[in-house]
Amino acid sequence: MPDAKPVRVPQETVNDERVRLVRWRVEEGAPVEPGAVLAEIETSKSVLEVTAGEGGFLRRAASEGDWVPVGGVFCYLTVHADDPVPAAEAGAKTEGPAFSRKARALLEKEGVDPAAFSGMGMVREEDVRRHLASASAKGVRREPLSARKRSENAALSGGGANALRSLAALRCSEEAYRRAVERAPAFEATPSGLILFEAARTLKEFPLFNAYYADGDAAYYDGVNVGFVVDGDRGLRVPVIHGADSKTEDETAREIQDLLLAYHEDELNVERLSGGTFTITDLSGEGVTRFDPLINAAQSAILGVAAPEGGSFELCLAFDHRLHEGRSAAAFLHVLKSRITARA
Amino acid sequence: MDDRSEDRLRAALLIRAVETRLLSLYAEGRLNGTVHTCIGQEYSGIAVAEHLRPEDRVVSNHRCHGHFIARTGDAEGLIAELMGRPQGVCGGRGGSQHLHKDGFYSNGVQGGIAPVATGMAYELFRRGQDGIVVVFLGDGTLGEGVVYESFNLASKWSLPVLFVLENNRVAQSTPQRQTLAGGIDARAAAFGIATGSGVTWKPEALITAAGEAVARVRAGKGPFFLRIDTDRLNAHSKGDDDRPAAEVAKLRERDPLHAIRAAEPELYDRLEEEARLRVEKAVEAAEKVPEGGEDFEDADGWRGVSWSAAPGGEKARAVVRINQALADALKADERVSLFGEDLEDPYGGAFKATKGLSSAYPGRVRNTPISEAAIVGMANGAALAGGRPVVELMFGDFMALAADQWINHASKFGYMYGDSVAAPFVLRTPMGGRRGYGPTHSQSLEKHFLGLPGTRVLALNARFDPREFYKRVFASLDRPTLVLENKLLYGRPLDAPLPAGFSLEISDEAFPTIRLSPDAGADLTLFCWGDALDEAERAAARLFEEEEIFVEIICSTALYPFNAAPLAESVSRSGRLLTFEEGLSFSSLSAEAAAALAERGVLKQFSRLASARRPIPSSKVLEVRSLPDAAAIVARAKELLDA
Ligand SMILES: Cc1ncc(C[n+]2csc(CCOP(=O)(O)OP(=O)(O)O)c2C)c(N)n1
């Protein structure tokens, strides 16, 4: 006998495909006797009470106000108060883009993170191919990983296709950063542009952070294309500065501003949104003092800029453990930090 | 002869002079169409009209000239009307059988005026207004069922309506003995209606009888049935009298005017000449103005629209919002009342749309007998009397029983009465199958009611809040408005998530077009209306998910007048149109929409999905096979794209 007996919404009228859960009549986890009223549901005809067919501990699977499909589970009755219950049935919420069946299959096959398409509404197989092509079109050189890294990956991921995410953070002096920006007037309007500028150069020193994991290989990008996350009223987008390592401060600052303008005008084309090899996300304005950003598809690291606290702020580097480890991440962060503070 | 009798004689001679002249005008080719003269029956209208007050209403039939002149005295307006002149009482649009002036209304469809008159009486009575309603019916019309629906309702609701039965014992060519079973008065008596009678060849006694009838009704004693035996001395219309000459000659002998002429030749001749001159002058005056006055046409509907993001759906089922909308209307406007079958609490309507309303608004929400024609007929009458009735037909299929009221009455009043009145009312009814109700309770019959000038046909769906929709309906209620609900729609939540990746917009039309767009250019436009939107949405989601086909859905809420512009705009982008409906597509809105697009050169690749060409079966398996669904849309869309 299963320990968690599902209680389903009864078919009360021919009309209804779903009913609304109006009110719970039993507390979460409370014991109920057979025949006890569990909840009130609203059909298109009336509000009805649903009673327990047998006794047990009530474990809710829906909240008041939710629509529950007729025949769907709205709670469980368990034998013991702490028996495990199945996770909620797939909810109605759909966040992020919708993927066609073929697109999803390709994503899984190629190990692309769906987040790479976060700016899109509907993703077809063709879009995934384009994304993969834009990654390879930039020129990718593949080198097999060391035997040690491979076996570590297999152990950690159990053969799974997704990044093994890890995070390293390094504190920077707020004062030093402020002075560095003062000395780089091009970045007056967009101070984190300075971080982008220096990160691009740091990536030249650490090419593995400008690469991604592919079927046991490290795929290195030839170019350094740094994307930065914009999340305003046009939704989340990641415009990309191509060849960021070879642009001057002025060029970098101007391009950032162009991209921001295009974002606000809703004119960011696919070109300017694709081909990123590394990403920066700046949440310092949100008061977040540490975070663990999601790595984009076909990349292996993302740099988060957190908000200052007690005179310093953190540079958070989320990285794919299949390519990197804490030590190399720390080295990357130290070089980046010293490049910035050296300007102060 | 006393003054009053002389006035009556003057009126009778005027009526006869008008009728006689109309026949000669017709013979001279100066009159279009047809006339039904009341020569021999003049005293019936005169006897009743004498007891009426300005606030009373008179409803009449095809043989209405005498009633009209007796009531309004406007022989000139009548003659100009029949001669098709703009100064006619209805601008020449109504003609002989469709007259309207002040509280007088006639319609040449037999029987349908009975519920219209009953509805007028309902509205006056309900709102405590003075006035009674008189309706004239011929004895041949006792064959129409809607007359009895009206007797029943008028009696049950104790309404101030006087049914006057003009018993001339012939209907067109058919003698009463061939068609009438049972008694005449017994018919009314069976419904508990008090009866009385008179004969036109005894005018004085008839006037007394009519006076008593009117007084009773006016005193609030409910309806009354007055039978007036009378003689039709001329043909039914023109030259179509097959009765033996001897029989008609015998009737002429008891013609009341015949008797008066013999008794008072001088007076008679003087008044007859007076009438003849007045009629002659009226004919001359009419002819001075050319025929063909102002005219009117329903807008073709074509209008470019702009779009805005649709507000999020309410956390409620459609039926709850419909219910709230009706409560809003009852609360906001005294003129609003609801009637139909099974509306009252505790039942609250077959689909619960009126639940709680009869308790919250006592007397303003009423159960009717099972009388669809009378329900809609009474809505017509109540609307003409200044009300804003909202009526429900339990199943859309039963629109067929009310078709005469919708097609020959509701849609015509405004235009045929020269745009001086309209019948603004709301008729709500659910269409649609998928519930196993079988051939006669599952249909989507809207196509039969589309395209009637002067009406509006709307369809609700789950993506536009019914409460807001009805608010707009009431705010712009200027004509009979049919709102199609749907049995499955009632139970639908209004806040169901959109298919992933799609965005929802509404147009700026009063009754908006709904647009569900994918985030990239559509490969196909899917057109639907009403609750078909639900299957259409499922199909759009599946077409993307399974086939990577981007579909844009255009869902209209205004089916007539219909604006094809938003659809054309979408199809001109996508290049392909698939229409989807639950009803039969032969001559339906999908055909109309395609024609509108073809006329503008927008239609290239096109296909239609609709119900199988058979009645809707009851068996679940057979029904599913008969009604197209999301899977059928997916299959057809693929075909269309592969073509
Ligand atoms: C519904 C309907 N059916 C048929 C007709 C055609 N029609 C016009 S008048 C008439 C005879 C009506 O007879 P009755 O009701 O006795 O009135 P009368 O002509 O004798 O005044 C007929 C059949 C009609 N106008 N409406």
Side-chain angles (χ1 to χ4, degrees):
Chain A
M1 193 189 98
D3 290 343
K5 195 114 178 119
V7 184
R8 296 179 186 278
V9 173
Q11 173 100 51
E12 290 292 348
T13 66
V14 232
N15 298 6
D16 298 330
E17 289 182 11
R18 334 172 189 219
V19 301
R20 195 144 74 97
L21 177 65
V22 184
R23 206 154 68 85
W24 282 109
R25 295 272 291 270
V26 179
E27 289 303 314
E28 167 69 15
V32 295
E33 297 292 324
V37 176
L38 299 176
E40 292 167 21
I41 59 166
E42 181 201 283
T43 70
S44 57
K45 301 225 168 189
S46 55
V47 174
L48 301 165
E49 294 176 337
V50 187
T51 52
E54 54 200 292
F57 291 91
L58 180 103
R59 307 290 292 279
R60 296 177 180 178
S63 312
E64 290 184 356
D66 280 358
W67 293 103
V68 188
V70 169
V73 177
F74 73 100
C75 65
Y76 295 89
L77 291 170
T78 59
V79 176
H80 309 99
D82 54 358
D83 285 336
V85 292
E89 291 191 356
K93 280 224 168 66
T94 49
E95 261 158 30
F99 292 91
S100 74
R101 198 174 279 173
K102 287 180 187 161
R104 215 179 304 114
L106 186 60
L107 277 185
E108 278 162 22
K109 179 164 164 275
E110 296 290 332
V112 180
D113 182 348
F117 302 90
S118 58
M120 295 181 69
M122 296 163 91
V123 181
R124 288 193 263 203
E125 184 184 24
E126 188 188 319
D127 300 309
V128 180
R129 288 204 188 290
R130 203 177 305 128
H131 176 85
L132 291 168
S134 79
S136 61
K138 293 295 165 204
V140 170
R141 169 174 54 87
R142 283 168 86 132
E143 277 177 17
L145 295 180
S146 67
R148 178 182 60 81
K149 203 70 205 170
R150 276 171 193 261
S151 65
E152 184 186 315
N153 291 342
L156 283 174
S157 62
N162 295 327
L164 296 168
R165 291 174 47 248
S166 199
L167 182 72
L170 186 65
R171 288 215 153 260
C172 283
S173 148
E174 191 187 356
E175 174 64 15
Y177 176 52
R178 196 181 50 75
R179 267 185 282 120
V181 174
E182 268 172 22
R183 296 197 179 169
F187 296 113
E188 196 190 335
T190 51
S192 59
L194 177 62
I195 300 177
L196 186 150
F197 180 84
E198 292 300 355
R201 277 141 191 84
T202 313
L203 284 168
K204 279 308 257 188
E205 289 180 43
F206 293 84
L208 193 58
F209 282 93
N210 200 45
Y212 67 96
Y213 174 88
D215 294 337
D217 292 347
Y220 290 87
Y221 288 106
D222 290 344
V224 174
N225 305 333
V226 182
F228 60 97
V229 176
V230 191
D231 192 5
D233 46 8
R234 298 281 182 197
L236 191 136
R237 294 281 191 283
V238 187
V240 175
I241 299 196
H242 293 259
D245 56 323
S246 55
K247 296 214 154 117
T248 65
E249 288 179 23
D250 278 345
E251 282 167 350
T252 307
R254 208 174 320 116
E255 191 162 346
I256 291 174
Q257 278 158 24
D258 281 356
L259 290 168
L260 287 174
L261 190 67
Y263 171 85
H264 290 297
E265 307 275 302
D266 207 11
E267 280 171 356
L268 282 174
N269 54 24
V270 186
E271 207 82 312
R272 307 180 90 171
L273 288 171
S274 53
T277 61
F278 181 84
T279 303
I280 295 182
T281 171
D282 180 359
L283 286 188
S284 60
E286 312 293 324
V288 174
T289 57
R290 169 174 286 198
F291 63 111
D292 182 4
L294 270 180
I295 302 162
N296 282 315
Q299 295 179 17
S300 66
I302 178 166
L303 179 70
V305 182
E309 186 184 33
S312 66
F313 67 98
E314 277 192 354
L315 291 172
C316 311
L317 188 71
F319 58 90
D320 184 346
H321 215 280
R322 292 173 301 182
L323 288 192
H324 316 292
E325 49 243 323
R327 205 154 21 85
S328 56
F332 179 94
L333 286 171
H334 276 293
V335 170
L336 175 61
K337 176 182 168 181
S338 59
R339 281 183 158 279
I340 294 166
T341 49
R343 292 164 156 267
Chain B
M1 183 176 275
D2 62 22
D3 283 358
R4 293 195 84 170
S5 303
E6 192 176 317
D7 285 345
R8 289 172 198 140
L9 177 60
R10 181 177 290 107
L13 288 170
L14 176 62
I15 293 168
R16 187 162 294 191
V18 168
E19 298 287 51
T20 308
R21 187 68 184 107
L22 289 175
L23 285 173
S24 69
L25 281 172
Y26 180 77
E28 293 159 22
R30 290 156 77 189
L31 207 70
N32 201 25
T34 189
V35 286
H36 306 97
T37 65
C38 66
I39 291 170
Q41 307 186 179
E42 294 89 345
Y43 272 103
S44 112
I46 291 169
V48 175
E50 179 163 330
H51 304 289
L52 297 183
R53 297 180 184 162
E55 63 272 20
D56 297 334
R57 322 267 160 143
V58 175
V59 186
S60 175
N61 56 12
H62 61 295
R63 206 173 297 287
C64 59
H65 303 169
H67 308 146
F68 180 84
I69 294 172
R71 175 62 176 153
T72 68
D74 189 4
E76 288 72 16
L78 173 91
I79 287 170
E81 179 62 28
L82 269 86
M83 295 181 77
R85 296 319 205 259
Q87 73 273 37
V89 286
C90 298
R93 297 178 188 174
S96 166
Q97 314 185 69
H98 313 105
L99 300 172
H100 165 60
K101 182 175 179 171
D102 304 329
F104 185 96
Y105 310 82
S106 70
N107 192 337
V109 190
Q110 303 309 314
I113 56 173
V116 173
T118 306
M120 285 180 180
Y122 158 81
E123 187 63 21
L124 296 177
F125 183 66
R126 183 179 85 76
R127 289 165 68 198
Q129 293 177 355
D130 289 338
I132 66 161
V133 183
V134 179
V135 54
F136 288 94
L137 303 166
D139 55 298
T141 304
L142 291 172
E144 295 287 1
V146 73
V147 170
Y148 305 101
E149 293 183 17
S150 306
F151 284 175
N152 188 43
L153 268 151
S155 178
K156 197 74 213 166
W157 291 5
S158 204
L159 301 177
V161 55
L162 172 58
F163 296 98
V164 179
L165 198 279
E166 293 185 295
N167 180 31
N168 62 16
R169 302 167 316 283
V170 63
Q172 200 147 333
S173 72
T174 309
Q176 190 183 88
R177 68 185 129 77
Q178 282 187 4
T179 55
L180 189 85
I184 293 180
D185 297 0
R187 285 166 150 73
F191 292 94
I193 299 177
T195 63
S197 66
V199 298
T200 49
W201 51 91
K202 290 185 184 155
E204 304 293 327
L206 173 62
I207 280 144
T208 308
E212 281 165 11
V214 168
R216 264 190 80 107
V217 175
R218 205 180 293 290
K221 295 191 174 149
F224 192 84
F225 180 86
L226 177 65
R227 173 174 48 83
I228 299 179
D229 294 341
T230 185
D231 297 320
R232 193 191 88 196
L233 296 181
N234 278 42
H236 165 67
S237 173
K238 304 141 311 199
D240 57 348
D241 200 346
D242 296 326
R243 292 176 295 183
E247 182 187 320
V248 181
K250 254 182 96 183
L251 298 178
R252 283 189 194 286
E253 280 171 24
R254 67 177 182 193
D255 172 15
L257 293 181
H258 192 75
I260 295 170
R261 177 179 222 168
E264 310 220 22
E266 241 171 80
L267 173 68
Y268 185 96
D269 289 349
R270 177 163 61 78
L271 295 184
E272 189 187 38
E273 181 60 6
E274 199 180 282
R276 199 188 59 77
L277 285 174
R278 182 172 165 188
V279 169
E280 217 33 62
K281 262 176 78 179
V283 171
E284 275 169 33
E287 285 198 322
K288 284 214 178 84
V289 182
E291 217 180 309
E294 235 179 74
D295 219 342
F296 162 85
E297 193 180 17
D298 257 8
D300 85 334
W302 187 278
R303 180 172 87 76
V305 302
S306 57
W307 301 92
S308 58
E314 291 291 326
K315 207 171 173 112
R317 291 175 188 286
V319 69
V320 172
R321 299 295 283 178
I322 293 171
N323 180 274
Q324 289 169 344
L326 298 174
D328 293 343
L330 282 162
K331 185 165 182 218
D333 191 345
E334 262 303 308
R335 298 173 302 172
V336 172
S337 69
L338 272 55
F339 50 93
E341 294 157 23
D342 299 290
L343 302 191
E344 287 182 33
D345 288 340
Y347 196 66
F351 297 95
K352 309 300 161 208
T354 54
K355 199 154 187 68
L357 300 181
S358 66
S359 308
Y361 298 93
R364 290 174 66 192
V365 180
R366 296 191 73 171
N367 281 350
T368 62
I370 306 164
S371 303
E372 286 76 13
I375 291 169
V376 180
M378 284 180 63
N380 266 319
L384 286 173
R388 292 289 178 273
V390 180
V391 293
E392 176 180 305
L393 294 193
M394 191 186 285
F395 286 87
D397 311 69
F398 309 154
M399 279 296 292
L401 287 95
D404 175 50
Q405 284 301 327
W406 186 258
I407 297 170
N408 293 320
H409 293 79
S411 90
K412 302 298 182 280
F413 288 133
Y415 179 85
M416 80 182 181
Y417 292 158
D419 290 327
S420 57
V421 291
F425 70 92
V426 178
L427 169 50
R428 302 175 34 248
T429 194
M431 297 286 181
R434 305 185 205 278
R435 301 231 359 215
Y437 288 168
T440 64
H441 290 61
S442 309
Q443 302 167 89
S444 295
L445 293 181
E446 56 268 27
K447 71 174 184 177
H448 298 287
F449 299 91
L450 297 182
L452 288 164
T455 65
R456 197 190 295 291
V457 182
L458 305 170
L460 293 180
N461 63 64
R463 290 293 178 201
F464 192 81
D465 178 16
R467 188 179 192 176
E468 168 64 21
F469 194 81
Y470 270 114
K471 191 172 145 198
R472 296 182 181 196
V473 169
F474 287 108
S476 60
L477 189 59
D478 60 353
R479 67 188 77 187
T481 300
L482 171 60
V483 185
L484 305 176
E485 298 177 355
N486 183 291
K487 297 174 198 101
L488 291 186
L489 172 69
Y490 289 128
R492 292 205 199 285
L494 299 173
D495 59 348
L498 291 175
F502 285 84
S503 57
L504 186 70
E505 292 161 297
I506 57 168
S507 74
D508 58 355
E509 298 156 283
F511 304 107
T513 305
I514 312 293
R515 183 165 82 179
L516 192 74
S517 310
D519 80 334
D523 304 308
L524 171 74
T525 300
L526 180 58
F527 173 62
C528 65
W529 59 93
D531 194 56
L533 178 58
D534 191 74
E535 291 291 330
E537 283 184 11
R538 286 173 216 263
R542 281 183 52 186
L543 278 165
F544 168 67
E545 156 91 17
E546 294 165 15
E547 309 295 337
E548 301 204 324
I549 294 173
F550 283 158
V551 172
E552 178 162 276
I553 298 177
I554 298 288
C555 175
S556 294
T557 61
L559 312 192
Y560 186 81
F562 174 65
N563 181 12
L567 179 63
E569 189 261 334
S570 174
V571 174
S572 63
R573 278 187 283 106
S574 72
R576 296 183 190 88
L577 171 63
L578 173 59
T579 62
F580 170 62
E581 66 207 289
E582 209 186 284
L584 292 158
S585 60
F586 193 98
S587 282
S588 79
L589 180 62
S590 63
E592 181 61 31
L597 266 56
E599 280 177 338
R600 286 169 171 84
V602 196
L603 197 61
K604 295 195 174 69
Q605 265 185 288
F606 167 52
S607 185
R608 292 202 282 164
L609 255 180
S611 170
R613 288 181 296 277
R614 57 174 168 258
I616 297 171
S618 191
S619 140
K620 184 155 190 169
V621 171
L622 294 180
E623 184 178 33
V624 165
R625 255 189 243 156
S626 291
L627 299 178
D629 58 6
I633 298 175
V634 168
R636 187 66 67 83
K638 280 166 63 184
E639 281 170 33
L640 200 56
L641 262 91
D642 289 342

